[in-house]
Amino acid sequence: MKVSWQWLKEYVDLDITPRELARRLTMAGLEAEKIEEIGAAWDRDLVRVARVKEVLPIGGADRVVQVILELPERDVMVVTGATNIRAGQKIALGLIGARLYDGHRDDTILRTLKPRAIMGVTGEGMVCSEKELGISDEHEGILVLPDDAPIGAPLVDYLGDTIIEFEITPNLVHDFSIVGVAREAAAVTGAPFRDPFQRWATEPLDAPEIPGIVTVEDTNLCPRYTALVMEGIRIGPSPDWMQRRLLAVGVRPVNNIVDVSNYVMVEYGQPNHVFDLDRLVGRRLIVRHARPGEMLELINHETKSLTPDMAAVCDEAGVTDLGGIIGGTRSEIVETTKNILIEAANWEMRNIRHTRQALNIRTDASARYERGLEPELTMPGARRVAELITQLCPEAHLVGYTDLFPNPPRPRALTMRFSKIAAVLGTAYPLDAVCDVLKRLQFGVEISGDADPVLTIAIPSHRADVSHPEDIVEEVARIIGYETVPATMIAGTTPHVIRSDRWIAREAARDAVASAGLIEVSTYSFTSADALDRLAVVGGPGAAAVPIVRLVNAMGEWEGMRPTLRASLLATASDNVKFTSGVAIGEVANVYLPRESGELPDERLTLGIVLAGTDTERSLGIAPRAYDFFDLKGIVEAILPALGVGSLAFVSADDLVFQPGRVARVSAGGQALGVIGEVHPRVAEAFGLPGRVMLAELDLEPIVASVAARRGELRRLPGTSRYPATENDFSVIVDESVAAADVAQALAQAVGTLGQRVQLFDIYRGDQVPAGKKSLTFAVTMQAPDRALSEAEIAKVRDRVRQALAKRLKATLRS
Amino acid sequence: MAKAEPTIIELREAALSRLRAATDLETTRAWYREYLGDHGAVTALTRRVASLPPEQRRAFGIAVNALKSELGAALAERQARLEASALETRIETEALDVTLPGRPVQRGFLHPTTRIIREICDIFGKMGFQTVEGPEVEYAKYNFDMLNIPADHPARDVWDTFHVESGEAEIVLRTHTSPMQVRTMLAQQPPVRVVVPGRCYRYEATDATHLAMFLQVEGLAVDEGITLADLKGTLTEFARQMFGPDRKTRFRCDFFPFVEPGVDFAIDCPQCNGKGCRLCKQSGWIELLGAGMVHPRVLEMVGYDTSKQTGFAFGMGPERLMLLKYGLDDIRDFYKNDIRWLRQMDRAWL
């Protein structure tokens, strides 16, 4: 909301600068988002009000004239091309040296006015347009000032203003007006507040009641409806001062009646509407629920279809206005309007919000009502409208009123102990300082008791946001100033320990990802049909077949929450391959699997890895190598043990995202963890990835569970031996069909407890072994806990291995 | 006996002369075998002792032993010299061009959001706050209603919300990690002191300062006697740990439905040190986070005794914190995952 400093000063005497007020209000909760100074650049001596004495032609010129201007101390001559200049006008004069904007350029650079000859005549300055003064973009003709402008006065004194734009948070409806900000300004500065409402409370309304002119069918929709009827209206433009103020706060002037209506909404915060009484069929209004499908053409010429939960203001021919939100065209003010009905009503806040959301309309009126405007404001608002109309249309007069307010809310109060303030803030203020603040904010305070006084606080009607003692604590603290609250650390008892196993498991997984040489990425949790379909190009389940957690309000292609990390990581790799020779990335994040309707989805912690391109950049002594399946497997074998997962098993698997024969299911101790493999070339292509791409997706939920289960469990380590270890090679000749892992397992079992490490390091096929067989050579490290192993012992192990392999795998041991 | 003397002398002369002529270690080892080895000349002399007349044995023995130790010492010295010279030669020939490139290591590293979240949780951890987490897809009841943000209240508009298709229960993508306040308090009695990091979502067009998915760290402390002053102390400590000890802080009144009194916490602009610049919109201050004393309605709704318990809560955006701390200008970069940018962040971190 924009507030004019000049307007504000009508209601509060301020001896601080607008900028300082903005700062103090910001500290107190009413945040100034923008400060705009009108006339800040106008030099007091050089930009002044002058009167046009004479307009004289210049010989030989048809477009420019010479103008003699009156200042109190002397006359000044200028040359202008403005066509709207007339003798007798008050204008804004810029003397040589004044800093002004160029009326014919689009920039906003201030330029110093220099003497310049036009048609051989050099003036002493210029008459200014609004654009040259920086007030608006208007540059067709000069700014003509009202007749009351004092000749010779610095223009900044007459026209200058500061516009402060405040953010009105949902609790601040009482600050949603000039008067409201003035009240707040008075409270934070201690300056006196000129409360306009006291006058309306005491001055009697000098007009008869008109029964039946308004009927409210449902007071839940409309708790109060105040209407004033006036006759003798003459539509015309509103005066300059009013137009200027409206423009300053961002309201476009229309005509005197509409302008008054808007002026009062801004000034008092009470939205109101003026009907042309003669255009109302039956010359009366009915407030009721809209009928299903009832149509209304709004003043912005949109037509809306209404529903029965909406508040309709109707005449005898039907709906004419959407209560509390926007008027309709059928009864709006027109050029010929003579008699009017001024509506200032109070509408139920939730219903207003509901209606404006349903119809997608947002107006200054609805913004106020949906924040919970006080019903007490309608009569002062309506009377202020009538008062201003009387000022603007001398023939206008009030002929009657109605005020439907069947259930005025009872005055509210709360009681609290004085000590509550210190208990919440951690600092104590003197009782009289607290009372002073509350009174400045128009709360009533009664004190009883001595040791810890009880405060009985009467809540003013405009403070619907106050209901708890804590609200009072905030009022006190924000006005005295949050800066007076000290900074302390929490004392008191140690909180309960809550250990998040999920956090521990996830962060360990992230560390393991980075330790394995991967770059951790973080991708959006959303998914799209397109992404799921790309994964399915070979025939796997696509968007139509994969159930996802679906968004009601999709954002672009983001239709729901991802059920897999695969697409996110392949897309990320694809974004990167253009810029780098190799991509090795990992993400540890949730995937989202739908559960039964009404239940929260299953958010599963998941590890995804993608390798694409080469393992390194070209460098001296290193040949870059394309990533392959075993790079990925090695990474997985490095990461999972770091998360407490042992005895991994990799079993050949089917998954249509991967190239058949190059994909394995990973499990540990019978617990499935996920899939690793080489992405099917057609899937890779669908993501724009050239070359071979490795992808792993592992469910980390079993790891989260095991972290939780192992909490507090004693760890029994195998221990280390101080005797030397020996490394021996075992070359095993087996049928091609035997899996390497089976040989390794049989070998390890046969070696027994002496074995520390069994690692395949060579595979040989060729002349040295029979056809259909292969030779697998393992490095076997053996060590005893209590002795150095002898040659004889190692020979015994070798015999044991020979027999076991022969028996289990029909394998032979090469010597 | 007179005959034996020259033999030893001759042997000595010849041996020492041959040793001097040896220019490599292999020759010295052959020399050893020739003179001092099991079948060497000196060893042969010692065997002759037994064949000498008894009166000569002693003197001959002493002479042979003297020769043996002299030659042994000479050998050791010669070998040491040859070894030293061999090492010298090796060192001379093995000089490297140390400007050649090191062999590249593929170093992995963490995403900046992981690092900032840990940093934030560590700072609060030292103040006794424990890290807890909650679901990202959440009941509206926890995300809004029990945080004193009722349906059809304009306060809900502050959060543009993603709604999830569901049955009768309204389910949303959480707009903040604050619902974990409610879940934590429902699960346990005070004292409570937690921070809640996690992903949040808002239905908001993405630009340089807005994201539809972002992180939040929420904090909550509830106990008897917790005050606004404690909140101020805790946040001031956090800001100094995060942004340096010289940072000025500002505490001002603000509105959030789940706190009362409400607080906006700012630091003086790290870019202009409070003088006013584009980053701080000339105000000199940068809003870091929203906070306040937990609203009594929130405490009531979880069944806490509001006559005894008070608490504070705060919520901050880690990405925004990084924008400020590292002078970054586009929040979208965090989720673009351009490896080149991530590497730059990794190197800029400390």
Side-chain angles (χ1 to χ4, degrees):
Chain A
M1 182 191 57
K2 289 181 171 179
V3 168
S4 148
W5 177 254
Q6 298 297 345
W7 199 343
L8 191 66
K9 286 206 297 188
E10 275 188 29
Y11 292 101
V12 60
D13 290 317
L14 294 166
D15 54 7
I16 55 174
T17 63
R19 214 160 268 283
E20 173 61 12
L21 179 71
R23 190 193 69 80
R24 291 207 208 168
L25 289 175
T26 298
M27 292 299 289
L30 182 59
E31 185 181 8
E33 294 184 303
K34 208 168 145 194
I35 300 176
E36 190 189 334
E37 286 171 1
I38 298 173
W42 304 340
D43 189 306
R44 299 181 66 81
D45 298 328
L46 300 177
V47 184
R48 297 166 68 188
V49 177
R51 193 182 73 91
V52 181
K53 256 178 136 170
E54 277 182 275
V55 179
L56 305 168
I58 298 176
D62 53 351
R63 305 216 10 230
V64 294
V65 290
Q66 221 177 137
V67 183
I68 308 300
L69 299 166
E70 178 192 343
L71 288 176
E73 69 276 15
R74 65 187 175 105
D75 286 355
V76 171
M77 187 275 292
V78 302
V79 179
T80 183
T83 54
N84 65 331
I85 191 152
R86 303 284 179 275
Q89 285 169 337
K90 301 279 181 64
I91 55 88
L93 165 65
L95 290 162
I96 298 300
R99 290 182 307 137
L100 298 165
Y101 298 99
D102 190 327
H104 301 286
R105 294 199 204 199
D106 276 341
D107 60 25
T108 51
I109 298 166
L110 282 166
R111 294 183 170 81
T112 302
L113 188 60
K114 296 191 178 93
R116 189 163 66 96
I118 301 170
M119 298 298 288
V121 184
T122 304
E124 298 170 63
M126 67 186 288
V127 284
C128 304
S129 68
E130 292 194 13
K131 182 162 183 190
E132 282 150 354
L133 292 167
I135 299 174
S136 77
D137 286 337
E138 182 56 55
H139 61 93
E140 301 290 325
I142 52 150
L143 167 65
V144 179
L145 299 171
D147 288 341
D148 67 356
I151 295 170
L155 188 69
V156 64
D157 288 354
Y158 185 69
L159 269 193
D161 200 353
T162 301
I163 308 303
I164 311 175
E165 192 164 356
F166 292 104
E167 190 202 345
I168 305 294
T169 51
N171 60 324
L172 289 185
V173 68
H174 56 280
D175 288 339
F176 214 154
S177 63
I178 301 292
V179 169
V181 173
R183 186 196 290 118
E184 190 74 10
V188 298
T189 59
F193 170 50
R194 278 188 287 279
D195 187 345
F197 302 124
Q198 279 169 11
R199 178 160 66 95
W200 299 120
T202 51
E203 226 171 73
L205 179 57
D206 186 20
E209 197 172 343
I210 309 175
I213 192 160
V214 178
T215 310
V216 174
E217 289 186 358
D218 184 351
T219 57
N220 291 325
L221 283 183
C222 179
R224 185 175 187 182
Y225 198 107
T226 303
L228 301 186
V229 175
M230 293 185 85
E231 292 177 353
I233 302 298
R234 184 173 294 167
I235 302 294
S238 60
D240 280 334
W241 64 267
M242 180 173 281
Q243 292 198 23
R244 205 167 299 291
R245 280 197 176 168
L246 289 174
L247 281 169
V249 300
V251 179
R252 190 175 51 86
V254 179
N255 61 43
N256 49 2
I257 302 304
V258 173
D259 290 356
V260 165
S261 171
N262 287 328
Y263 189 89
V264 172
M265 178 175 68
V266 173
E267 186 178 53
Y268 278 19
Q270 172 64 53
N272 59 86
H273 187 69
V274 181
F275 295 91
D276 183 327
L277 187 58
D278 302 313
R279 298 179 74 200
L280 290 176
V281 178
R283 286 176 67 87
R284 70 186 202 94
L285 288 171
I286 306 104
V287 177
R288 58 161 169 81
H289 288 270
R291 307 215 161 97
E294 209 166 8
M295 305 296 283
L296 173 64
E297 189 188 353
L298 308 174
I299 52 173
N300 64 9
H301 300 292
E302 277 181 60
T303 299
K304 297 281 183 183
S305 171
L306 309 184
T307 53
D309 46 354
M310 297 174 181
V313 181
C314 312
D315 61 9
E316 289 180 355
V319 58
T320 181
D321 181 288
L322 197 54
I325 298 177
I326 193 167
T329 48
R330 204 158 57 74
S331 58
E332 70 180 323
I333 298 293
V334 290
E335 285 294 305
T336 55
T337 297
K338 293 275 176 293
N339 304 314
I340 58 171
L341 183 148
I342 303 161
E343 167 203 287
N346 190 268
W347 304 93
E348 201 281 315
M349 60 187 282
R350 286 179 176 76
N351 193 260
I352 291 288
R353 182 166 187 275
H354 191 78
T355 303
R356 74 118 179 105
Q357 278 185 328
L359 298 179
N360 196 20
I361 316 172
R362 210 165 196 157
T363 62
D364 289 334
S366 71
R368 286 171 170 85
Y369 285 124
E370 71 175 323
R371 283 173 164 80
L373 202 60
E374 49 164 336
E376 285 79 358
L377 197 58
T378 63
M379 186 56 94
R383 290 182 69 182
R384 177 67 172 156
V385 171
E387 178 184 56
L388 286 170
I389 288 175
T390 314
Q391 276 178 29
L392 268 46
C393 305
E395 293 147 46
H397 55 279
L398 193 58
V399 295
Y401 80 98
T402 189
D403 185 20
L404 305 176
F405 194 19
N407 303 304
R410 293 239 297 275
R412 294 184 311 129
L414 66 83
T415 58
M416 62 187 283
R417 292 221 171 258
F418 176 61
S419 60
K420 177 75 181 176
I421 298 170
V424 172
L425 297 179
T427 189
Y429 299 126
L431 181 58
D432 52 352
V434 167
C435 292
D436 180 49
V437 164
L438 292 175
K439 280 172 190 160
R440 262 148 58 189
L441 290 165
Q442 301 190 313
F443 288 88
V445 188
E446 276 176 42
I447 304 163
S448 57
D450 284 333
D452 182 7
V454 171
L455 308 182
T456 302
I457 296 166
I459 301 167
S461 60
H462 62 269
R463 294 307 302 270
D465 59 315
V466 172
S467 56
H468 288 67
E470 286 77 3
D471 298 320
I472 296 295
V473 175
E474 178 178 276
E475 293 303 306
V476 171
R478 73 186 184 89
I479 300 296
I480 295 180
Y482 277 17
E483 64 273 14
T484 62
V485 175
T488 57
M489 296 305 276
I490 300 173
T493 37
T494 317
H496 302 286
V497 173
I498 317 165
R499 200 182 88 146
S500 172
D501 300 306
R502 181 168 297 277
W503 163 268
I504 290 166
R506 190 188 40 238
E507 299 310 309
R510 287 178 169 165
D511 282 333
V513 160
S515 303
L518 303 173
I519 296 172
E520 191 201 3
V521 296
S522 183
T523 61
Y524 290 108
S525 312
F526 302 107
T527 193
S528 66
D530 177 62
L532 295 175
D533 284 340
R534 278 172 210 248
L535 289 174
V537 287
V538 183
V546 177
I548 62 166
V549 176
R550 202 166 287 283
L551 297 170
V552 174
N553 45 346
M555 179 176 266
E557 62 165 11
W558 286 341
E559 296 171 8
M561 305 302 280
R562 59 181 172 189
T564 169
L565 298 182
R566 293 176 181 190
S568 309
L569 288 173
L570 290 173
T572 301
S574 174
D575 290 343
N576 276 291
V577 284
K578 313 187 229 339
F579 306 116
T580 160
S581 58
V583 176
I585 52 174
E587 178 167 22
V588 181
N590 284 343
V591 301
Y592 311 81
L593 308 181
R595 286 201 181 109
E596 293 295 300
S597 163
E599 271 184 60
L600 296 183
D602 185 10
E603 295 180 17
R604 298 190 74 83
L605 190 64
T606 305
L607 163 64
I609 299 170
V610 165
L611 307 176
T614 56
D615 62 345
T616 175
E617 305 272 342
R618 288 205 300 175
S619 179
L620 192 67
I622 287 204
R625 194 173 50 72
Y627 282 117
D628 67 17
F629 178 88
F630 298 103
D631 289 314
L632 179 63
K633 186 174 175 186
I635 287 169
V636 169
E637 285 172 328
I639 290 176
L640 290 177
L643 305 177
V645 179
S647 57
L648 294 176
F650 294 81
V651 180
S652 182
D654 290 322
D655 187 316
L656 293 175
V657 167
F658 296 90
Q659 178 172 331
R662 293 195 164 203
V663 50
R665 200 170 307 289
V666 186
S667 62
Q671 173 78 59
L673 293 175
V675 174
I676 72 166
E678 181 170 334
V679 176
H680 196 290
R682 284 178 54 204
V683 174
E685 190 188 4
F687 281 91
L689 281 163
R692 295 179 184 274
V693 180
M694 307 303 134
L695 168 69
E697 188 177 39
L698 301 172
D699 182 19
L700 298 186
E701 288 301 322
I703 291 166
V704 175
S706 100
V707 167
R710 279 155 49 102
R711 185 197 297 198
E713 187 182 272
L714 297 179
R715 308 292 197 255
R716 302 208 182 279
L717 307 184
T720 56
S721 168
R722 55 194 183 85
Y723 293 93
T726 58
E727 190 178 298
N728 293 270
D729 291 355
F730 287 76
S731 291
V732 184
I733 298 167
V734 280
D735 282 350
E736 273 291 358
S737 62
V738 177
D742 294 339
V743 181
Q745 200 196 1
L747 181 56
Q749 263 179 21
V751 171
T753 54
L754 292 178
Q756 300 292 311
R757 179 170 174 270
V758 173
Q759 180 68 40
L760 178 69
F761 72 90
D762 188 49
I763 302 179
Y764 174 81
R765 297 177 177 87
D767 299 344
Q768 307 293 314
V769 296
K773 301 212 181 248
K774 59 189 172 188
S775 166
L776 307 176
T777 308
F778 293 84
V780 176
T781 309
M782 283 182 274
Q783 195 178 28
D786 53 354
R787 63 191 187 278
L789 291 175
S790 65
E791 295 284 336
E793 274 179 291
I794 291 166
K796 257 170 78 182
V797 170
R798 192 172 280 276
D799 279 342
R800 203 157 68 221
V801 166
R802 189 190 313 281
Q803 285 165 24
L805 290 179
K807 197 168 153 198
R808 286 179 57 177
L809 299 171
K810 296 194 175 70
T812 55
L813 213 51
R814 264 203 313 182
S815 43
Chain B
M1 191 59 239
K3 278 195 286 180
E5 290 293 324
T7 308
I8 290 177
I9 289 164
E10 279 167 21
L11 194 59
R12 178 177 171 274
E13 288 298 317
L16 290 176
S17 146
R18 295 266 313 275
L19 185 60
R20 272 194 299 274
T23 56
D24 59 63
L25 286 167
E26 192 41 54
T27 313
T28 62
R29 283 192 278 274
W31 181 91
Y32 172 83
R33 284 192 296 276
E34 192 173 332
Y35 292 101
L36 300 175
D38 286 350
H39 306 289
V42 179
T43 315
L45 282 184
T46 52
R47 285 196 200 101
R48 270 174 52 195
V49 174
S51 63
L52 289 177
E55 66 280 10
Q56 289 178 13
R57 282 183 195 166
R58 192 176 132 80
F60 187 80
I62 289 170
V64 170
N65 278 337
L67 176 62
K68 203 172 169 182
S69 47
E70 185 188 0
L71 291 183
L75 175 68
E77 192 205 327
R78 186 69 194 154
Q79 283 187 332
R81 187 171 298 171
L82 287 173
E83 271 168 15
S85 115
L87 190 58
E88 213 166 281
T89 311
R90 180 180 150 193
I91 287 169
E92 267 169 29
T93 56
E94 286 189 352
L96 293 178
D97 176 357
V98 296
T99 66
L100 292 177
R103 211 152 280 139
V105 168
Q106 294 304 299
R107 185 183 150 270
F109 51 86
L110 296 169
H111 193 267
T113 55
T114 298
R115 299 180 76 165
I116 193 78
I117 289 276
R118 290 187 186 178
E119 197 171 325
I120 293 167
C121 293
D122 282 351
I123 292 171
F124 285 106
K126 285 169 189 150
M127 293 189 266
F129 288 79
Q130 299 160 66
T131 303
V132 298
E133 297 176 293
E136 297 170 35
V137 185
E138 182 60 284
Y139 292 113
K141 179 175 69 170
Y142 294 141
N143 194 77
F144 292 124
D145 302 64
M146 291 188 74
L147 288 167
N148 195 31
I149 312 165
D152 273 332
H153 192 277
R156 272 209 191 184
D157 288 353
V158 177
W159 297 274
D160 296 309
T161 309
F162 279 108
H163 292 268
V164 167
E165 284 182 5
S166 63
E168 58 281 15
E170 189 186 354
I171 295 179
V172 299
L173 303 190
R174 67 176 172 192
T175 58
H176 41 201
T177 56
S178 317
M180 201 49 199
Q181 275 190 35
V182 177
R183 286 177 174 273
T184 304
M185 290 191 285
L186 286 174
Q188 63 166 95
Q189 284 299 307
V192 170
R193 218 182 292 174
V194 293
V195 280
V196 193
R199 287 183 172 190
C200 302
Y201 305 87
R202 283 185 199 169
Y203 191 85
E204 200 163 59
T206 299
D207 62 29
T209 53
H210 297 87
L211 290 169
M213 183 193 92
F214 56 94
L215 293 165
Q216 198 192 26
V217 177
E218 174 91 1
L220 172 74
V222 184
D223 197 357
E224 287 182 30
I226 286 191
T227 66
L228 190 70
D230 293 335
L231 172 61
K232 198 169 179 176
T234 304
L235 293 183
T236 302
E237 172 67 10
F238 168 73
R240 288 180 182 160
Q241 293 277 354
M242 181 60 76
F243 291 98
D246 300 329
R247 242 16 327 143
K248 292 192 192 76
T249 60
R250 184 188 74 175
F251 233 55
R252 73 169 190 88
C253 181
D254 202 355
F255 170 75
F256 305 98
F258 36 97
V259 289
E260 187 75 22
V263 170
D264 169 284
F265 182 66
I267 55 172
D268 62 332
C269 177
Q271 209 151 95
C272 63
N273 283 317
K275 286 186 206 70
C277 66
R278 258 185 61 196
L279 179 69
C280 58
K281 292 181 191 150
Q282 308 304 329
S283 73
W285 296 100
I286 294 279
E287 294 176 7
L288 265 197
L289 54 87
M293 299 302 289
V294 181
H295 199 288
R297 279 201 203 109
V298 173
L299 294 177
E300 275 162 24
M301 280 187 271
V302 297
Y304 278 15
D305 181 354
T306 53
S307 71
K308 289 202 180 111
Q309 305 296 337
T310 52
F312 64 70
F314 55 84
M316 70 184 82
E319 295 96 340
R320 194 176 135 68
L321 237 55
M322 287 190 281
L323 294 186
L324 294 175
K325 192 170 172 177
Y326 297 106
L328 310 173
D329 51 17
D330 194 336
I331 202 165
R332 289 169 293 198
D333 284 333
F334 290 111
Y335 300 102
K336 265 189 201 147
N337 295 296
D338 182 327
I339 287 171
R340 297 166 302 169
W341 185 87
L342 291 174
R343 186 168 275 124
Q344 288 172 19
M345 268 312 280
D346 178 58
R347 290 173 181 172
W349 194 263
L350 289 180

